[in-house]
Amino acid sequence: MKALIIDGQNNHDWKTTTPLLKKYLEETGLFEVTVATTPPKNSPDDMWSGFAPDFKSYSVVVLNYNGEDWPAGVSSAFEAYVRGGGGLVSYHAADNAFPKWPEFNSMIGLGGWGGRDEMSGPTMPYSNGKWQPDHDRKGAGGHHGKRHPFVVANRNPRHPVMQGLPERWMHGEDELYDSLRGPAAHMTLLATAYSAPEFDGTGLDEPMLFTIAYEKGRVFHTTLGHGGDAVHSVDFIVTLQRGAEWAATGKVTQKVPADFPTAEKVSLRP
Ligand code: ZN
């Protein structure tokens, strides 16, 4: 299958993470990966004319992008691609992008920063076995406390992406996103993490991995993977690989590797 990674603008080190994402997808043996890089910020319009991916020729698009709006023709082609049944993976700060693009926010379900606030939609903490949409809470959407290793809890062990993964595992040092907001429609929760007040968190179980059904499209959203240990953490790699396959096909054929972390110990690959 063909996969497309989009990068080029980000407040994160996309020049380091894109080659890792590409390697991880190719290691599955399922994907042939192309990278489309946008022009840098403040580029003249004619440079943007070179950014026109043929989305529909891909099985999955992975966003490693958090930057300026795309040209209108690119945005509308992207919407048509996902609406028509395309696969999409939103990776970490990709959910910071495009706060004013309603269809994008519907695709990713929840996002953060970029001026998002209660007008963007509810926050979606988890308790008592389900999402608990908070429509009353005011304030900014998107926050994280101090980076630290943390436990991720599998909340949907029957979902293809999560089947065979342990109930809990340790994720390598990362930003634990909290208070994301968005339209929050047609979402399926896969995994949460407790955002501990001692690390400047919310004291709530926050969504880490989830999916969104956007028209006929399948979207896998991972909030994980800031950089450093986070992008070498085996659970990040495996959930990205499985999420990408699921977004592309609706199924997961990959086995869970023996080095998947336990509830006690982080597992990193070089
Ligand atoms: Zn980050």
Side-chain angles (χ1 to χ4, degrees):
M1 292 181 284
K2 290 178 70 184
L4 177 70
I5 299 174
I6 296 180
D7 65 11
Q9 295 186 21
N10 209 317
N11 60 331
H12 288 68
D13 184 6
W14 59 271
K15 290 181 183 174
T16 297
T17 54
T18 287
L20 290 172
L21 302 179
K22 183 171 189 289
K23 177 168 85 121
Y24 299 154
L25 294 177
E26 288 174 347
E27 276 172 357
T28 64
L30 298 168
F31 296 109
E32 181 190 310
V33 182
T34 303
V35 178
T37 301
T38 68
K41 266 191 179 168
N42 303 314
S43 294
D45 286 354
D46 61 334
M47 274 183 74
W48 277 97
S49 63
F51 177 72
D54 182 23
F55 294 112
K56 61 186 185 307
S57 69
Y58 296 93
S59 298
V60 63
V61 173
V62 179
L63 294 180
N64 187 14
Y65 182 88
N66 174 20
E68 292 169 326
D69 289 350
W70 296 338
V74 177
S75 306
S76 58
F78 180 72
E79 285 180 16
Y81 160 77
V82 183
R83 191 183 301 123
L88 175 64
V89 174
S90 176
Y91 156 58
H92 193 60
D95 70 13
N96 300 188
F98 308 130
K100 296 193 163 62
W101 181 3
E103 294 311 309
F104 177 77
N105 284 290
S106 294
M107 288 176 201
I108 63 168
L110 299 171
W113 295 273
R116 287 174 172 87
D117 62 12
E118 62 271 15
M119 299 302 293
S120 312
T123 57
M124 294 288 282
Y126 170 93
S127 67
N128 295 321
K130 57 182 168 74
W131 300 103
Q132 303 288 348
D134 187 344
H135 293 274
D136 299 323
R137 190 174 150 199
K138 305 275 189 264
H143 169 265
H144 60 77
K146 285 190 220 102
R147 276 178 234 163
H148 62 293
F150 52 83
V151 172
V152 176
N154 183 346
R155 301 300 187 186
N156 201 339
R158 291 185 181 172
H159 191 280
V161 174
M162 306 303 283
Q163 249 172 33
L165 304 189
E167 271 178 46
R168 288 168 184 279
W169 68 78
M170 279 300 289
H171 175 60
E173 182 177 296
D174 203 348
E175 292 169 346
L176 196 165
Y177 275 11
D178 67 63
S179 313
L180 296 176
R181 295 181 177 276
H186 313 297
M187 299 201 306
T188 300
L189 183 62
L190 303 184
T192 62
Y194 177 66
S195 175
E198 68 200 90
F199 293 104
D200 189 27
T202 55
L204 298 167
D205 282 311
E206 298 282 351
M208 296 288 108
L209 306 174
F210 45 101
T211 67
I212 305 93
Y214 176 80
E215 306 285 339
K216 291 179 183 162
R218 279 179 299 269
V219 184
F220 172 71
H221 186 150
T222 177
T223 64
L224 303 174
H226 172 78
D229 281 3
V231 289
H232 294 275
S233 194
V234 174
D235 61 300
F236 167 75
I237 297 169
V238 169
T239 52
L240 178 88
Q241 291 169 325
R242 296 172 69 95
E245 184 181 4
W246 178 83
T249 68
K251 297 188 181 111
V252 176
T253 59
Q254 302 168 60
K255 292 199 172 68
V256 179
D259 62 347
F260 199 89
T262 62
E264 288 77 37
K265 202 164 177 295
V266 167
S267 175
L268 304 177
R269 287 183 191 163

